[in-house]
Amino acid sequence: MDGRDLVRSVRGIGSGRAARGVRAAWRRRRIDAAGLPRRGAERARVPGRVEDARPGPGGGVIRFSRSELRITVAVNGAVFWGWDGAEPQPSYALAGSCPEPDPRAVLEPDTDGGWRVVAERVTVVVSRHGAVDVCTPGGVVLRRELPPRWWEPVGGGPGRWLQRSEVAADARFFGLGGRASGPRLRDGSYRLWNTDPGDAFGAGDDPLYVTMPVQLVVADAGTHLIFHDTTWDGTVVLREGEEGAGSGHDRAGHCELRMDGGPLRCWVMVGAPSRVLHTWAALTGAPALPPSWALGHHHARRGFGGEQELRRIVAGYQERDLPLDAVHLDIDHYDDHQVFTVDRERFPKLPVLAEELRRDGIRLVSIVDPAVKAVAGNAVHDSGAAVDAFVRDASGRPVRGVVWAGESVYPDFTDPRVRAWWGGLYEERLAQGFAGFWHDMNEPVSFNAFGEPTLPRSARHALEGRGGDHREAHNVYGLCMARAGYEGLRELAPDERPFLFSRSGWAGMQRYGGTWSGAVATGWAGLRASLSLVLGLGLCGVPYSGPGIGGFDGSPSPELYLRWFQLGAYLPLFRTHAGLRAGRREPWEFGPEVLEHARAALRERRRLLPYFVTLAHLARRTGAPYVRPVWWGAPEDRALRDCEDAFLLGDGLLVAPVLEPGADRRTVRLPRGRWYDTATERAYEGPAQVVVAAPPGRIPVFARAGAVLPVRGDEGPELEAWAPAPGRTGGGLVVPDAGDGWEEPELERYVARRQGGSVLVTREGEDGSSAPSWPVRVRGLG
């Protein structure tokens, strides 16, 4: 811990806790000094020359003089390879068993002494020295993995490794989890270590709460996703390529991945972005389906104080005719900040309050932190100690950190027994009337020094019975906590879809819920970072996320708050949130003009709820994120690949938020096709760059010609059909939600055809066309 860490600790938590935090930091370092193996002399190694190969299902094993490489093509088109005998399992990312090998994929000799595996969607070529080329079926190289290098301790133990890669000169990098500087990842270094930045963060801060070794790379020749399946600390260095302007001397793009340990294994998926994300979801698990109420408006604030203040805020929404679907209670509703408790003075009858709110269509959501106050008599601590639930150091003592409740211990969520115990604790939350759960501080965090890991790197974890230390467990701690909560809720309330979102996580976290931006800085840069995080997480397979509107701390100007609010109305998680020092963030606190425009944004979100429900079901079925980059349907369009200030909401809408102060107009780049300004119904032909009005009352939103969208009309659900261009057809998918249970509703497919001066919308099914089941309102004919 250096001086800067100490200053930040004092500012963040106060001098009393900061003093305990300093002691905890030194204690952690002493534990690591005694518990971590010393890294002495190392032996460097490369694969060497190829010796022979052994074909097997979907591929085979290629033996080199100092290593071996296993390659398998799965039936879903994903390609796995692992060095030194690495297998796909065990893995925290994969959902269930590994997909079956594709029997049509064959390992065969290649030119110059190498080998190749030819499959329907991809060809993998391995050179005689261990380079691996990922190619299109036509032979165009999408990615070249150079021969890896290892550094192994002479005395044994985990080795570190380096993998260098090359991509096309025109390629663009996306992904790596939640990155504030994205969604396109510029040249630079990105760390793979889930981290609480300790204060409000901006676009230049890295790493953040959710890091993943998942890259989505988009180039003219095609799109591919690559996932290096290791949970250890690492660094990715990216450098975009440069084309030679026709000279033939292109400079390839470069990626360098350095990992402190773990197996060198990866998965690669090739194809259109929609196909790639579908394959990724099939591999890592379908996104959890949020209950329909969770797609509405949420309000959260640190420092509600008590029941009276909460009732005042809810009444404020109701009196001003502002839709509200959920209220989130932060740690100040706990008794002395102890998890799974209630402050009876502030909330004397919380279940009664929750039931009253539910009758008004408002759910309560509870924050849940992983740290448990280390004091005898605390029911959670005592029950956890009885099942040996807490992480221990190398000498067998429970590891302690300092958080809001003071000295605390941490459950080992990598142990199935501990996950079962923790999941059962949510019974208390359900009894209090909570309908959803917000996991926080689960990187995990301690106030020993912001930015450092809570637990000593030498702390011991079960790791599903394999055993290991925190170096391997840190990045999946939040993921395993989410699993514990989700599985516990499935047991406790089997008829309801759990609602859970987590600040930290890893590849596969979408199986249990979503995430949010954390403590994004209040400011225009924070507003832009919010959009980057949502887009980047969606491309890593996490479709449900959103920012804290207005930023975590500080006081947004009325203009900034409104523009953030308008953006949030089109994002999956629509939540106003403020930290302890931020003050009130209700829409009426910013003046009558902001209130009027915020009401319009809330009503538009309520109108689009059937569309969001459909997008949620489609995300579960296909892996496609709700919020998509504008190049989603045309990745070959280079101008769209560089567009980061707008996004597609599903297939039907393009949203162009206002991200700069004082703007009343916006330049918007439109993809190919006809697009309608939803406010004026004026048509624009893409690809084009257009300038449109962006007054304070709205942000520009465009509808794709031919789109059929489910919306909520004045009389109930209806279909909003945007006129196709002359001579063209359009359509849309609708999934009517049957409620918040597990029934799988039927997907409805609609087609829109232009017939002279009118538009005909029909429902398409196995038995042919039929009339729509909802009323139809046609727009765009003017």
Side-chain angles (χ1 to χ4, degrees), residues 3 21 103 165 241 262 300 314 356 403 462 497 536 547 573 577 617 648 656 687 701 708 721 733 752 766:
S165 312
V314 170
E356 291 177 5
V403 285
R497 302 200 294 259
L573 175 57
H577 181 223
H617 280 275
L648 299 175
V701 178
V708 179
L733 300 175
E766 295 180 357

Side-chain angles (χ1 to χ4, degrees), residues 59 67 128 158 200 314 344 394 403 445 457 575 654 666 748:
S67 188
R128 67 179 188 271
V314 170
R344 300 295 180 182
V403 285
V445 169
R457 289 177 178 250
R575 183 174 86 139
L654 186 152
R666 257 229 53 177
E748 300 175 3

Side-chain angles (χ1 to χ4, degrees), residues 4-346:
R4 182 184 177 192
D5 290 327
L6 178 59
V7 170
R8 295 174 73 183
S9 296
V10 172
R11 184 175 71 235
I13 62 174
S15 58
R17 285 199 182 99
R20 293 197 298 271
V22 172
R23 293 194 296 271
W26 285 115
R27 181 171 58 207
R28 183 185 62 80
R29 294 197 173 189
R30 287 197 305 271
I31 292 171
D32 275 347
L36 280 179
R38 297 186 181 276
R39 186 175 290 277
E42 295 179 319
R43 181 184 297 111
R45 177 167 62 87
V46 294
R49 290 179 64 90
V50 69
E51 293 186 344
D52 58 35
R54 185 174 66 254
V61 176
I62 304 171
R63 291 182 62 249
F64 295 83
S65 60
R66 290 182 290 273
S67 188
E68 70 175 29
L69 173 67
R70 177 183 297 276
I71 298 180
T72 304
V73 180
V75 290
N76 61 7
V79 180
F80 169 83
W81 70 72
W83 287 94
D84 286 354
E87 299 280 355
Q89 296 280 17
S91 170
Y92 278 105
L94 270 58
S97 59
C98 185
E100 292 295 319
D102 185 350
R104 299 169 297 174
V106 178
L107 177 66
E108 59 188 29
D110 194 40
T111 59
D112 200 25
W115 293 81
R116 66 179 180 177
V117 179
V118 180
E120 179 183 4
R121 302 175 193 169
V122 63
T123 298
V124 182
V125 180
V126 182
S127 78
R128 67 179 188 271
H129 294 294
V132 181
D133 289 356
V134 179
C135 309
T136 67
V140 178
V141 178
L142 296 177
R143 187 182 193 93
R144 170 166 294 158
E145 299 274 280
L146 301 177
R149 299 179 184 180
W150 294 268
W151 288 267
E152 299 166 334
V154 172
R160 54 194 178 94
W161 51 265
L162 165 67
Q163 177 70 73
R164 290 192 175 99
S165 312
E166 295 178 352
V167 296
D170 66 283
R172 297 290 181 261
F173 297 101
F174 301 86
L176 296 182
R179 306 285 169 168
S181 58
R184 173 183 159 196
L185 301 176
R186 264 66 173 189
D187 296 0
S189 177
Y190 302 88
R191 191 179 177 194
L192 298 169
W193 188 255
N194 292 349
T195 304
D196 172 19
D199 209 343
F201 67 86
D205 290 314
D206 189 89
L208 296 175
Y209 315 97
V210 180
T211 67
M212 300 183 197
V214 179
Q215 297 176 41
L216 188 77
V217 184
V218 184
D220 287 354
T223 300
H224 72 273
L225 181 149
I226 186 164
F227 166 54
H228 289 88
D229 192 356
T230 175
T231 65
W232 287 65
D233 193 359
T235 302
V236 180
V237 179
L238 301 177
R239 189 180 70 184
E240 291 182 349
E242 185 176 342
E243 295 184 284
S247 68
H249 296 287
D250 292 353
R251 177 173 62 81
H254 288 269
C255 169
E256 181 179 287
L257 176 61
R258 292 180 179 269
M259 301 300 298
D260 286 351
L264 204 175
R265 58 183 181 179
C266 71
W267 289 88
V268 177
M269 285 130 263
V270 174
S274 56
R275 180 184 289 275
V276 166
L277 267 293
H278 184 264
T279 306
W280 177 241
L283 190 68
T284 61
L289 186 65
S292 55
W293 61 263
L295 296 169
H297 177 54
H298 303 237
H299 186 77
R301 196 184 79 212
R302 176 79 183 276
F304 271 133
E307 180 178 328
Q308 184 177 356
E309 174 67 1
L310 191 151
R311 288 185 181 278
R312 184 192 70 81
I313 290 171
V314 170
Y317 272 91
Q318 294 171 335
E319 292 165 2
R320 295 169 176 85
D321 193 23
L322 302 174
L324 179 64
D325 297 275
V327 176
H328 296 215
L329 297 188
D330 210 319
I331 57 172
D332 43 355
H333 86 280
Y334 282 139
D335 181 13
D336 193 28
H337 299 129
Q338 298 181 64
V339 68
F340 298 115
T341 63
V342 174
D343 186 328
R344 300 295 180 182
E345 292 186 4
R346 294 179 175 180

Side-chain angles (χ1 to χ4, degrees), residues 389-518:
F390 303 118
V391 176
R392 295 178 179 271
D393 62 23
S395 63
R397 294 185 299 268
V399 173
R400 292 193 176 194
V402 178
V403 285
W404 302 113
E407 291 272 334
S408 300
V409 289
Y410 296 82
D412 181 7
F413 295 116
T414 70
D415 188 332
R417 295 182 311 103
V418 177
R419 289 197 297 268
W421 161 74
W422 184 265
L425 298 177
Y426 288 76
E427 184 174 15
E428 181 273 341
R429 296 285 88 185
L430 294 175
Q432 295 295 338
F434 289 106
F437 303 93
W438 153 30
H439 287 183
D440 199 5
M441 306 286 283
N442 58 341
E443 288 69 36
V445 169
S446 171
F447 297 144
N448 55 24
F450 284 121
E452 294 189 9
T454 291
L455 307 183
R457 289 177 178 250
S458 60
R460 306 303 298 168
H461 289 266
L463 290 167
E464 315 309 317
R466 293 178 289 112
D469 61 38
H470 195 64
R471 293 174 297 174
E472 186 176 358
H474 174 85
N475 280 335
V476 294
Y477 190 87
L479 171 74
C480 293
M481 180 185 177
R483 178 180 178 181
Y486 184 86
E487 292 178 347
L489 292 168
R490 288 293 308 269
E491 291 261 344
L492 295 167
D495 296 331
E496 297 182 11
R497 302 200 294 259
F499 175 59
L500 186 153
F501 63 108
S502 172
R503 191 172 77 173
S504 182
W506 201 65
M509 66 182 296
Q510 75 278 355
R511 299 190 294 262
Y512 314 117
T515 184
W516 91 103
S517 63

